[in-house]
Amino acid sequence: MKIHYISENNSVLNHFLGQIRNVNVQNDSLRFRRNIERIGEIMAYELSKILPYKEVEIQTPLGIKKTTEIDTDLVLCPILRAGLPLHNGFLNYFDHAENSFVSACRYHPNHDDEFEIRVEYQAISDLNNKTVLLLDPMLATGQSIVAVHEKLVENASPTEIHIVVVIAAPEGIAFLEKNLPENCHLWVASLDEKLNEKNYIVPGLGDAGDLAYGSKL
């Protein structure tokens, strides 16, 4: 699996990353969602650099211009619900893409810190021979992404899968490297220190879904 770390050089990306972590800014859910969306736009631009392109000729009002355009069918797939603002950012740039949606959540059967991943709602388009962008703001243990990946390839064969996360823990990256095929790319905006005893990212930012859309039962 090829890993791309895109916040190593200073840019406005780091400015937005700081804001989504800041407890003095997080109480504004509109601003939080918009910053995740803007991070998605920046990551979409960076990812676009390694997509396949083809040469085309464009008719302008005054002549013909040779240029290039993306030469692959894209499918954007956010993991619900936290992935929706990130999906909006990618859709702003890849407006021609198809879209799929999958929900995944932690389920605590014994009401303790132990959990399993439940993949429930699915609206998956045809992924065969297409480039899939799997979007989730937080990569903690990596179990949700692996579970959703398994669902996506259950009856389809994408050409490539790009997994896009805003904040990642080393443990989650290691889990993906162990459990995902070589044709996957992982895009990380910011690498954090570790997971705590409850498997939350430290220093992280809290629960991205709650910050974007309100607390859940």
Side-chain angles (χ1 to χ4, degrees), residues 1 17 54 60 67 83 122 124 129 136 152 191 195 203 205-206:
M1 183 175 67
L17 286 169
K54 63 182 179 182
T60 80
T67 185
Q122 306 163 45
I124 301 173
N129 303 313
D136 196 14
L152 294 179
L191 176 63
L195 296 178
L205 54 73

Side-chain angles (χ1 to χ4, degrees), residues 20-118:
I20 63 173
R21 295 181 189 271
N22 190 330
V23 294
N24 297 314
V25 178
Q26 287 184 344
N27 60 350
D28 186 342
S29 59
L30 174 61
R31 188 173 177 186
F32 182 85
R33 291 193 304 270
R34 183 65 183 106
N35 280 337
I36 293 287
E37 183 177 339
R38 291 192 286 193
I39 289 169
E41 291 173 348
I42 295 168
M43 298 185 78
Y45 170 73
E46 294 295 332
L47 189 154
S48 74
K49 295 177 182 179
I50 72 165
L51 294 175
Y53 287 79
K54 63 182 179 182
E55 293 185 353
V56 296
E57 292 186 345
I58 303 296
Q59 177 70 59
T60 80
L62 300 177
I64 300 294
K65 174 62 179 177
K66 291 183 179 180
T67 185
T68 58
E69 62 183 30
I70 294 173
D71 190 23
T72 184
D73 294 321
L74 297 175
V75 180
L76 307 179
C77 182
I79 297 180
L80 304 177
R81 62 181 171 152
L84 289 174
L86 190 62
H87 171 254
N88 288 341
F90 270 78
L91 196 56
N92 288 343
Y93 274 36
F94 300 133
D95 55 287
H96 59 287
E98 297 178 67
N99 297 271
S100 296
F101 300 89
V102 178
S103 71
C105 63
R106 295 183 181 187
Y107 172 65
H108 300 265
N110 300 316
H111 305 288
D112 55 19
D113 292 339
E114 296 297 320
F115 66 89
E116 59 190 48
I117 300 299
R118 284 188 169 180

Side-chain angles (χ1 to χ4, degrees), residues 70-200:
I70 294 173
D71 190 23
T72 184
D73 294 321
L74 297 175
V75 180
L76 307 179
C77 182
I79 297 180
L80 304 177
R81 62 181 171 152
L84 289 174
L86 190 62
H87 171 254
N88 288 341
F90 270 78
L91 196 56
N92 288 343
Y93 274 36
F94 300 133
D95 55 287
H96 59 287
E98 297 178 67
N99 297 271
S100 296
F101 300 89
V102 178
S103 71
C105 63
R106 295 183 181 187
Y107 172 65
H108 300 265
N110 300 316
H111 305 288
D112 55 19
D113 292 339
E114 296 297 320
F115 66 89
E116 59 190 48
I117 300 299
R118 284 188 169 180
V119 176
E120 297 177 337
Y121 177 81
Q122 306 163 45
I124 301 173
S125 58
D126 179 10
L127 307 180
N128 286 306
N129 303 313
K130 297 176 183 177
T131 299
V132 176
L133 279 56
L134 179 56
L135 313 171
D136 196 14
M138 310 296 284
L139 170 55
T141 67
Q143 294 179 50
S144 293
I145 287 176
V146 169
V148 171
H149 174 272
E150 290 175 353
K151 182 59 63 176
L152 294 179
V153 301
E154 192 173 56
N155 299 301
S157 298
T159 303
E160 274 190 334
I161 294 183
H162 294 263
I163 297 159
V164 180
V165 301
V166 177
I167 296 174
E171 296 92 333
I173 293 175
F175 188 78
L176 296 193
E177 288 183 302
K178 180 180 179 181
N179 290 280
L180 293 182
E182 292 183 358
N183 72 331
C184 288
H185 290 252
L186 174 62
W187 297 81
V188 178
S190 184
L191 176 63
D192 274 17
E193 297 173 11
K194 61 181 180 180
L195 296 178
N196 65 14
E197 66 279 359
K198 295 183 180 294
N199 287 311
Y200 291 116

